[in-house]
Amino acid sequence: MSSRPQPPAQASRTVAGLAEASRADRSRTARQREIQRNRLLAGGGVLAVLVLLVWGCSSIGGDDDSTTTATKDGDGTSQPSKDEVEEATSKGLAPETETAQWVDPQSSGQPWSTSVVGQLTFRGNPTRSYYGLGPVPKDPKVLWRYPESGGMCGQSAVGGQAKSWCGTGWTGEPAVFEDGDETWVSFGAYDKNIHFLDGTDGSELIGNFDMGDIIKGSVTRDPDGFPLLYSGSRADFHIIATDRPDGQPADLWSMSADDVSPVNGWNNDWDSSPLIIDDYLFEGGENGQWYIVKLNRGKGADGLVTVDPQLVFNAPGWDEQLTADLAGSGSRVKDTGIENSLAISGNTVYFANSGGLVQGWDISKLKEDPTSVKRVFRFWTGDDTDASIVIDEEGMLYVASERERGSTMDRSDEVGQLMKLDPSKPDDPLVWSIKDPAEPQAHGDCEESSCYGIWGTPAISDGVIYAGTNHGRFFGADMETGEILWEKDLPGPTWQSPVVVDETLIMGDCSGVLHAYDVSEPKEDPPERWTVELEGCIESTPAVFKGKIYVGARGGAFYAIGDA
């Protein structure tokens, strides 16, 4: 049986002391920047080795090749050498490291887990910046289709009216990982089930898990090797065990959007793909709340995996200022649900909501005192921000937003739809912005098909940020300056999040075509390498893993694509 979480005493606690918290976060971020500068000076690049400075000493152990020596950071925590980072990354594992922070900012772009090889969560790691493990196929074909015929479809209400949904949609990225000799592919679909397939031939490894309603988000596989999968749907959030001897997934725990109060979200959906770090789970809900759960994972006397989850923190993702800013939006005043996946860098959790509120919460003292979690960063985009925040090695935030709410469009047009934010400058964080459309349009709420802005999560790689818009505008821009380097027109809406692996940029369009571009010259307009046609609009994000690409589409099916 599944259990329900108990709200902590601080659930009704209001957010206070923002100015003081911002100053503290500024100081902490400045210190992180100083450490990063020392890294660059010591090794000559982002991945350079760190040198432990000892008073009166000028070298470590007399090793002539410092790039092969593991060192300690300025706070005494162990850091991997450049060679160790490259070796681990090439194998699809995160390098072994010890850090006083929840997430080392330098892990941006690297695999998440030191234990499990694979793409384990939406965008691969806590900074939402890892896109898979190559090689990328050179002349791919559809290797298998699931199901072999027909489609995965289900009925779910929209505005009180039943609607048929088929295949997989936004965000829909599968978890692909190795377990022994098998490659598992796990994903949620619009038939209301989570599927567990063999990556080699698409056969079912274990039975399906019925989530009770359609699944729009991306599942997360436990990064520490426990046979656990974490996912929400339009019903509840679940922790699922995959090690039962009967070959059926087991529901170990669930959480409903109604289990905490107050709620102020658009609905009870769970689109956010959770993160699991040091036995804590971080998740956001469309009820407007965000959560931290202590999992207490273990093994029972029978050797099967167990959990004993305790909700240690939750808080509203909105505030009185946002409510006031959205007051002219009519029913949208309640549109403050969290649809993007939480991102973590250093000791800060970042996310945004459907009201456009971007925020960062300090979790540095979480383990000692959950009541110490507090907001330290706030920025308003002016409109629905469903795309997940992407964080680079310097701790900079890349935020993509929509342009659809007429009553707040002045703010939306002021800050743009793709922006780079510096959280160390909370009073003026906007570094650059890109507008979509490039020229102002008349105000007024739009129909979904005519809205502008970005639904998919951008990708960052080799100094370039890639993004696709609702109406098919697909572009690359300079991460440092925001200058648009090139643009392409694809059949929209382009809601898929672009993927970059092995100097190949992968992006799907709504005519069902998956495109691959050559980005070996990252600042140049990339030529197309290949295309593969699938059935239906491609809204889901693909996972690249060892020569194959796994992705679903709205035509009803899920695919493995690779060289014949």
Side-chain angles (χ1 to χ4, degrees):
M1 294 180 62
S2 60
S3 57
R4 298 297 187 191
Q6 297 300 313
Q10 71 271 21
S12 60
R13 187 166 52 89
T14 58
V15 177
L18 179 57
E20 178 184 354
S22 295
R23 286 192 295 272
D25 190 55
R26 214 165 31 235
S27 174
R28 182 175 60 257
T29 306
R31 180 175 175 276
Q32 293 172 4
R33 291 277 174 80
E34 183 62 30
I35 291 171
Q36 291 160 6
R37 281 193 293 271
N38 289 340
R39 284 175 170 155
L40 293 173
L41 292 172
V46 172
L47 290 176
V49 68
L50 307 176
V51 177
L52 175 63
L53 298 179
V54 181
W55 182 258
C57 297
S58 60
S59 64
I60 304 175
D63 194 336
D64 292 334
D65 185 3
S66 62
T67 63
T68 63
T69 307
T71 61
K72 288 186 178 291
D73 207 338
D75 59 3
T77 56
S78 296
Q79 299 294 331
S81 70
K82 177 182 178 181
D83 288 352
E84 289 169 336
V85 170
E86 291 178 347
E87 181 181 7
T89 302
S90 69
K91 295 177 179 178
L93 291 170
E96 293 283 354
T97 183
E98 295 178 10
T99 176
Q101 300 172 312
W102 283 86
V103 175
D104 181 2
Q106 294 295 305
S107 66
S108 180
Q110 296 178 12
W112 181 13
S113 172
T114 61
S115 304
V116 183
V117 177
Q119 190 75 352
L120 308 182
T121 189
F122 178 67
R123 311 305 269 168
N125 64 13
T127 57
R128 307 296 177 180
S129 60
Y130 178 68
Y131 313 114
L133 178 64
V136 175
K138 299 182 184 302
D139 184 23
K141 311 292 186 220
V142 173
L143 301 179
W144 53 257
R145 177 193 194 274
Y146 179 88
E148 292 184 1
S149 62
M152 301 174 289
C153 298
Q155 294 281 322
S156 189
V158 177
Q161 299 294 319
K163 176 184 176 182
S164 179
W165 304 70
C166 288
T168 69
W170 183 97
T171 55
E173 184 174 7
V176 183
F177 54 91
E178 291 181 345
D179 187 352
D181 296 331
E182 294 175 321
T183 296
W184 287 56
V185 180
S186 302
F187 62 92
Y190 285 158
D191 65 351
K192 307 182 183 182
N193 287 300
I194 292 179
H195 301 266
F196 304 88
L197 307 182
D198 188 317
T200 303
D201 57 14
S203 60
E204 295 181 353
L205 290 169
I206 61 174
N208 299 332
F209 183 84
D210 185 354
M211 292 286 284
D213 209 332
I214 64 171
I215 303 112
K216 291 192 298 176
S218 301
V219 302
T220 294
R221 204 277 187 184
D222 192 282
D224 298 317
F226 289 92
L228 295 168
L229 200 79
Y230 309 84
S231 179
S233 70
R234 275 193 160 184
D236 294 335
F237 180 89
H238 293 266
I239 300 177
I240 305 161
T242 60
D243 63 346
R244 272 32 189 180
D246 62 357
Q248 297 299 316
D251 189 9
L252 299 188
W253 183 80
S254 68
M255 175 169 58
S256 167
D258 298 324
D259 287 339
V260 299
S261 181
V263 295
N264 196 38
W266 190 244
N267 58 35
N268 61 350
D269 205 347
W270 301 86
D271 287 351
S272 184
S273 183
L275 292 174
I276 295 87
I277 304 174
D278 290 350
D279 203 42
Y280 286 84
L281 180 145
F282 301 85
E283 174 71 334
E286 276 197 73
N287 61 359
Q289 291 269 345
W290 77 281
Y291 304 78
I292 305 175
V293 177
K294 182 69 168 65
L295 293 171
N296 298 306
R297 297 165 299 176
K299 292 289 182 71
D302 56 3
L304 300 179
V305 68
T306 62
V307 294
D308 182 21
Q310 304 296 321
L311 181 60
V312 297
F313 178 85
N314 68 282
W318 72 93
D319 57 22
E320 292 182 2
Q321 181 61 56
L322 181 66
T323 301
D325 289 336
L326 299 178
S329 302
S331 63
R332 288 185 180 269
V333 70
K334 292 185 177 296
D335 192 3
T336 55
I338 301 165
E339 295 187 67
N340 53 22
S341 298
L342 278 55
I344 303 177
S345 179
N347 290 319
T348 308
V349 178
Y350 294 100
F351 60 91
N353 66 18
S354 297
L357 183 59
V358 178
Q359 48 202 295
W361 289 70
D362 179 15
I363 56 172
S364 58
K365 304 295 184 183
L366 166 64
K367 294 178 181 178
E368 295 85 0
D369 178 15
T371 65
S372 67
V373 176
K374 59 185 177 182
R375 196 175 68 181
V376 294
F377 179 74
R378 185 189 194 278
F379 180 86
W380 187 42
T381 70
D383 214 320
D384 196 349
T385 306
D386 291 339
S388 298
I389 296 170
V390 183
I391 311 174
D392 68 16
E393 293 175 344
E394 295 182 346
M396 297 291 182
L397 314 180
Y398 299 87
V399 179
S401 190
E402 299 159 29
R403 186 184 185 272
E404 58 178 347
R405 185 184 289 112
S407 63
T408 59
M409 207 162 282
D410 285 339
R411 174 62 177 177
S412 184
D413 288 346
E414 175 188 357
V415 300
Q417 283 63 56
L418 179 61
M419 58 212 81
K420 179 177 181 177
L421 304 180
D422 183 350
S424 72
K425 300 177 180 178
D427 296 329
D428 186 22
L430 187 61
V431 179
W432 54 252
S433 66
I434 295 172
K435 293 179 170 57
D436 185 67
E439 299 297 329
Q441 302 287 317
H443 288 199
D445 287 346
C446 61
E447 297 295 329
E448 194 171 87
S449 60
S450 64
C451 293
Y452 289 90
I454 300 170
W455 272 252
T457 296
I460 57 175
S461 178
D462 291 330
V464 178
I465 183 168
Y466 304 97
T469 73
N470 184 58
H471 54 97
R473 180 188 181 195
F474 181 43
F475 62 86
D478 190 293
M479 287 174 59
E480 188 68 26
T481 66
E483 175 192 2
I484 293 180
L485 302 171
W486 52 264
E487 294 190 32
K488 301 181 185 297
D489 291 323
L490 298 176
T494 41
W495 286 9
Q496 184 184 100
S497 302
V499 167
V500 186
V501 177
D502 289 350
E503 299 181 338
T504 303
L505 170 64
I506 301 169
M507 182 68 176
D509 67 34
C510 211
S511 70
V513 177
L514 192 68
H515 304 260
Y517 301 94
D518 180 354
V519 289
S520 56
E521 299 292 337
K523 299 297 178 74
E524 303 297 326
D525 189 353
E528 192 166 72
R529 281 184 168 166
W530 49 256
T531 61
V532 174
E533 291 189 18
L534 305 179
E535 303 166 68
C537 183
I538 307 174
E539 296 176 2
S540 298
T541 298
V544 177
F545 191 71
K546 292 189 174 183
K548 294 185 177 67
I549 300 171
Y550 300 95
V551 67
R554 291 298 303 273
F558 183 89
Y559 304 88
I561 300 165
D563 292 321

